[in-house]
Amino acid sequence: MKLSFLGAARQVTGSMYLLELEDDYRILIDCGSDMERSSSNGQTAPAVTHPGFFPFEASSINLVLLTHAHVDHSGNLPNLFREGYEGQILCTEPTFALTNVLLNDAASLNQKRINELNASKKQRVKDRQVQMQKDLFLGLQVRETMENVVPISFNRKFRVADGIDVTFIPAGHLLGAAHIVINVIENGERKSICFSGDIGRKNYPLLVDPAPVPAVDYLVCESTYGNRLHENTMSPEDALADIIQRTCIDIPGRLIIPSFSVGRTQALLYTLNRLYTERNFPPIRVFSDSPMGYESTKIYMQYVKMLNGEAKEFYKENETLFDFENFQFLESSKASKAVSNYGEPCIIISSSGMVQGGRVEYHIAENISNPYATILIIGYCAEGTLGWRLLNGQQTLSIKGTDHQVLANIEKIDVFSGHGDRNDLINFVGMQTPETLKSIFLVHGEYESMESFKNTLAEEGFPQVIIPKKGESFDL
């Protein structure tokens, strides 16, 4: 059994791992977009992974396993089919539904970029347009991808070939997210390996807690928060109540919350619903400005049975999770821009979470020089993004070519981060027995985080920790 690390190695995004078994059976675990220009240890990587990038023949892959829908795990699946993959993708039902939304959104953006270049009369731009048509997947590739997805249930062994079975175990983090355990019999010897995917948090809004993972021989573990703990110890309800009280009630201001459309937006809306329903908060107007957020919220409603007990009980009592007084989805671009004229205190939730692209850039531009506005960052912002620049206290920001003076209040909370922190990661690894676990491979994290977590695991009795480089392979 050979394991190769083709993405999210010594960096956060681009998850992709190749497991090669006897009889030349090859399993690809995740096929994500690499969204980082460079990693913390100096390795360079393209902002977008293009067709032809795969360091293998796509047609040689027998099976793809998908841990969850986020594009840094799923975003290159259409390119895989475009290059000749003809097999199936196994994932959970909610992952299938959310991945369909995310990939179609990406395809629409790709088509828009191509159309904009196609409208130019400059030959240099025309040449770029031809190249982009070769590089970017469109709706046709997404349809082909989704037609080959096979949804499977949690916690049931699924036989994929002779001597090979896989089990999807709830990971929290996102609706449908899974740890994947693969059991293999090679030359009469039984081997097992677990891919953590992204590890969720306990007591996160809507989502179930990460479930226990059985003892395995090898563990591939994410390390996003390997060197730190979550800063906020309040519950999501208390943290959000405090912010709203100070920014919209004590003063007649407006609160702008950049938020990822899939997962984070649903957690916010559910928490707001609970505040208004259970704490009698004043019915401040809430606008959710993300078409993809709207589609994702409908999917969450389809899978209420897969949410945590608290959410299911709330739904049973109120017959809704996300709909409450004075709440409105903004479906059109015109409606989005009209919110700027709304004169009362309000909350605007819009994508993207890092304030890089999406409708939120318009809302930030309209409010960044308003001292009665607050911009609340609720998640990680990659270096160089507009969100990162806001958090680092820049006094003047350029948005779409226009300079704006920063007079709005900038705040941050991490209670809505879907990633488990260092203690959660320790608990996940701690389900294994040091004497029988042969190796731990750390992935999906900045290099400093991996090094710190490796030292922590050694103190916990797990000395067999490896930090693989991109492209590195190991015989297991």
Side-chain angles (χ1 to χ4, degrees):
M1 187 162 71
K2 180 181 177 182
L3 177 62
S4 300
F5 294 85
L6 308 179
R10 305 194 180 194
Q11 67 177 59
V12 176
T13 64
S15 291
M16 183 162 48
Y17 318 105
L18 179 61
L19 190 63
E20 300 175 81
L21 309 176
E22 65 177 9
D23 299 327
D24 203 29
Y25 194 88
R26 297 153 68 88
I27 302 174
L28 194 67
I29 298 89
D30 285 345
C31 190
S33 297
D34 184 344
M35 298 178 287
E36 298 172 60
R37 286 186 291 273
S38 64
S39 60
S40 58
N41 67 332
Q43 296 184 131
T44 59
V48 179
T49 304
H50 301 303
F53 173 84
F54 300 114
F56 53 79
E57 288 291 332
S59 60
S60 71
I61 302 298
N62 298 93
L63 180 68
V64 174
L65 306 178
L66 179 59
T67 59
H68 65 285
H70 282 147
V71 292
D72 61 322
H73 295 257
S74 70
N76 259 319
L77 288 172
N79 287 335
L80 191 68
F81 281 91
R82 184 171 173 154
E83 286 204 348
Y85 178 60
E86 297 179 341
Q88 296 177 330
I89 301 168
L90 302 187
C91 64
T92 66
E93 284 191 26
T95 294
F96 166 68
L98 292 173
T99 299
N100 188 41
V101 170
L102 282 160
L103 293 183
N104 274 296
D105 180 74
S108 296
L109 292 175
N110 290 344
Q111 185 66 68
K112 182 179 179 181
R113 292 169 66 188
I114 291 172
N115 291 344
E116 288 173 349
L117 290 175
N118 195 36
S120 173
K121 296 181 179 180
K122 296 181 180 179
Q123 185 59 46
R124 176 177 58 83
V125 178
K126 290 279 189 182
D127 293 342
R128 175 62 179 147
Q129 185 261 345
V130 172
Q131 183 61 44
M132 287 183 69
Q133 283 184 315
K134 296 178 180 178
D135 289 347
L136 300 177
F137 65 81
L138 300 175
L140 178 63
Q141 287 77 42
V142 175
R143 287 193 294 275
E144 182 181 8
T145 299
M146 303 315 298
E147 287 171 358
N148 287 279
V149 173
V150 178
I152 65 175
S153 301
F154 278 121
N155 298 317
R156 292 185 181 179
K157 284 188 178 181
F158 189 87
R159 180 177 172 274
V160 298
D162 289 340
I164 308 170
D165 65 63
V166 301
T167 306
F168 284 67
I169 298 171
H173 179 69
L174 180 71
L175 179 65
H179 311 304
I180 299 178
V181 175
I182 304 174
N183 290 301
V184 178
I185 297 177
E186 282 189 324
N187 301 318
E189 181 184 1
R190 187 175 185 85
K191 300 177 182 179
S192 57
I193 181 170
C194 174
F195 294 85
S196 73
D198 287 355
I199 300 167
R201 306 172 63 175
K202 293 182 178 179
N203 303 315
Y204 189 82
L206 297 171
L207 300 181
V208 297
D209 290 347
V213 170
V216 294
D217 298 310
Y218 302 95
L219 183 64
V220 179
C221 182
E222 70 115 320
S223 53
T224 313
Y225 273 75
N227 62 345
R228 59 195 187 276
L229 302 176
H230 290 300
E231 298 174 1
N232 296 98
T233 58
M234 291 189 291
S235 69
E237 290 86 357
D238 288 341
L240 196 56
D242 174 66
I243 293 286
I244 295 171
Q245 182 70 45
R246 291 188 287 105
T247 61
C248 296
I249 299 175
D250 292 344
I251 61 170
R254 57 172 50 191
L255 178 62
I256 316 296
I257 309 179
S259 177
F260 293 112
S261 299
V262 181
R264 204 72 56 86
T265 289
Q266 290 72 42
L268 273 170
L269 294 178
Y270 169 67
T271 302
L272 284 166
N273 194 2
R274 294 194 63 181
L275 288 179
Y276 294 146
T277 302
E278 300 174 349
R279 300 198 185 187
N280 296 319
F281 252 59
I284 299 164
R285 196 68 177 269
V286 177
F287 300 100
S288 180
D289 189 14
S290 166
M292 186 163 57
Y294 177 70
E295 294 299 322
S296 302
T297 300
K298 290 195 294 185
I299 291 171
Y300 268 67
M301 286 301 303
Q302 291 174 17
Y303 292 98
V304 171
K305 63 181 181 180
M306 300 183 74
L307 301 178
N308 62 33
E310 184 180 67
K312 287 188 285 190
E313 185 64 27
F314 185 88
Y315 177 74
K316 182 179 178 181
E317 293 178 1
N318 298 281
E319 300 183 346
T320 182
L321 290 174
F322 308 109
D323 192 17
F324 48 89
E325 185 180 359
N326 277 337
F327 169 65
Q328 179 182 352
F329 269 113
L330 303 176
E331 298 186 32
S332 68
S333 178
K334 182 179 180 180
S336 171
K337 293 181 178 180
V339 171
S340 298
N341 299 320
Y342 185 76
E344 299 296 320
C346 65
I347 300 168
I348 301 172
I349 302 168
S350 186
S351 61
S352 71
M354 297 187 190
V355 202
Q356 195 72 6
R359 292 183 179 181
V360 74
E361 283 195 4
Y362 172 79
H363 296 297
I364 296 296
E366 289 294 306
N367 292 279
I368 198 167
S369 298
N370 176 7
Y372 288 96
T374 299
I375 301 168
L376 176 63
I377 305 296
I378 62 171
Y380 171 78
C381 292
E383 184 173 349
T385 61
L386 185 56
W388 180 84
R389 287 182 282 155
L390 285 168
L391 289 173
N392 280 270
Q394 292 191 17
Q395 298 301 306
T396 302
L397 292 178
S398 177
I399 304 175
K400 296 187 181 300
T402 302
D403 289 338
H404 299 267
Q405 188 177 3
V406 180
L407 298 178
N409 304 293
I410 313 299
E411 298 207 24
K412 177 184 178 181
I413 57 175
D414 63 6
V415 294
F416 289 99
S417 169
H419 280 276
D421 65 11
R422 184 181 64 205
N423 287 341
D424 295 308
L425 298 179
I426 291 172
N427 290 336
F428 176 78
V429 176
M431 288 184 274
Q432 305 298 318
T433 304
E435 292 74 22
T436 58
L437 184 63
K438 296 177 182 178
S439 297
I440 302 172
F441 299 96
L442 298 184
V443 296
H444 200 293
E446 296 174 346
Y447 187 65
E448 291 81 359
S449 177
M450 293 179 173
E451 283 282 6
S452 175
F453 191 47
K454 177 179 179 179
N455 294 333
T456 298
L457 289 177
E459 295 172 359
E460 295 288 326
F462 293 92
Q464 60 279 49
V465 181
I466 299 169
I467 304 176
K469 297 177 183 178
K470 187 174 182 179
E472 195 168 6
S473 299
F474 299 84
D475 291 320
L476 308 181

